[in-house]
Amino acid sequence: MPAVPPFIVAIPARYGSTRLPAKPLRAIDGVPMVVRVAQRALRAGAGQVVVAVDDPRVAEALAGQGVDICMTRADHASGSDRLAEVAARYGWPDDAIVVNLQGDEPFAPAAGIREVARALAEDDAPMATLATPVSEAHELFDPNVVKLVRGTDGRALYFSRAPLPWARDAFAADRDSLPEDMPFLRHIGIYAYRAGFLCRYTGLPRTPLEQVESLEQLRVLEHGFPIAVRLTPEPFPPGIDTEADLERAERWLATQP
């Protein structure tokens, strides 16, 4: 396994959430979610971990955790926009590798965080992400599960909420199982950027495919920039968006050694 390059983990942690109010502070087995995410980043070996917050209560929860806390504006449209503000404030070199670890991924595996940083270092694309095989037909047809296809060079061709690729003959006969010879992939929402591109990307105009699919990574492809894609070495448990997700997370954590 090639060595992991030096990398920064930046965590956008927005206090407001329509589906889960005060999301960063919601406790999982007594520990605030944002603290669990920060701990995962530290375990991955990041040279610097910065949490981009927009509320002093989140900053207070992170005190003493060994991470940097950057107070950002509350009006950012996306986590990437929030991290671009952080990158500008810290003055990171254009070639610095910045991993965007979502603030609602309290169980992100350290190996996956390292792998997305490695993927970017091994490719001259300005951005990288991870994927994992789709194992069940219901996943492929679920619009809440983002699918992707990639080329022989390991770069993304497209991301979609629709089933990709469409196995014409197999699905004409049966949509309850997956054909064994098709490389169906589910996108995992962790990204690595070169710091210079992070700032450039957030300044790009929104694009038609991005808006119709509601997938901001399509802005990158539509503007002609490549995205490197690697398979995650370990599963990523689902993120936390709702009260039901919190309950599921508590149950999952109780099964871990």
Side-chain angles (χ1 to χ4, degrees):
M1 180 70 69
V4 180
F7 65 96
I8 299 160
V9 171
I11 302 166
R14 185 171 67 93
Y15 182 82
S17 172
T18 55
R19 289 191 291 176
L20 194 62
K23 182 192 285 191
L25 301 183
R26 299 302 294 269
I28 302 172
D29 195 27
V31 179
M33 189 186 312
V34 70
V35 172
R36 287 191 176 276
V37 178
Q39 290 171 344
R40 292 281 170 162
L42 291 168
R43 286 180 205 164
Q48 183 180 18
V49 177
V50 182
V51 185
V53 305
D54 63 355
D55 190 286
R57 288 167 289 190
V58 182
E60 183 179 348
L62 288 160
Q65 293 297 324
V67 300
D68 290 356
I69 302 164
C70 183
M71 186 66 66
T72 58
R73 302 197 325 263
D75 61 349
H76 286 300
S78 71
S80 298
D81 292 310
R82 193 172 305 283
L83 297 192
E85 180 184 346
V86 174
R89 289 225 201 149
Y90 277 84
W92 290 326
D94 284 350
D95 61 351
I97 293 175
V98 181
V99 174
N100 177 350
L101 178 60
Q102 300 297 325
D104 56 8
E105 294 277 358
F107 306 124
I113 298 169
R114 290 191 291 267
E115 184 62 22
V116 76
R118 184 186 289 114
L120 189 63
E122 293 176 353
D123 198 299
D124 61 2
M127 183 171 168
T129 192
L130 298 180
T132 192
V134 173
S135 58
E136 302 288 343
H138 70 84
E139 278 189 281
L140 189 71
F141 289 93
D142 184 348
N144 295 311
V145 175
V146 178
K147 280 71 65 173
L148 68 90
V149 288
R150 59 179 182 167
T152 56
D153 59 359
R155 290 178 169 183
L157 296 174
Y158 193 63
F159 298 82
S160 183
R161 298 183 182 280
L164 285 179
W166 184 258
R168 186 192 65 176
D169 295 339
F171 289 150
D174 175 20
R175 297 187 187 181
D176 294 325
S177 60
L178 297 177
E180 295 181 359
D181 58 344
M182 294 300 295
F184 299 106
L185 294 175
R186 174 172 66 86
H187 180 226
I188 294 173
I190 185 172
Y191 300 100
Y193 320 85
R194 301 188 196 283
F197 180 72
L198 173 59
C199 297
R200 182 177 181 183
Y201 158 57
T202 57
L204 294 173
R206 296 190 68 196
T207 52
L209 292 175
E210 172 194 9
Q211 293 181 72
V212 75
E213 292 259 24
S214 192
L215 296 173
E216 65 175 329
Q217 66 269 35
L218 289 175
R219 187 189 319 173
V220 178
L221 298 184
E222 284 189 87
H223 281 286
F225 297 99
I227 300 176
V229 180
R230 299 291 185 273
L231 296 182
T232 180
E234 293 183 21
F236 271 67
I240 311 296
D241 285 318
T242 64
E243 294 285 353
D245 291 339
L246 269 178
E247 294 172 7
R248 172 188 45 76
E250 292 274 5
R251 293 193 300 269
W252 180 86
L253 194 60
T255 67
Q256 302 306 298

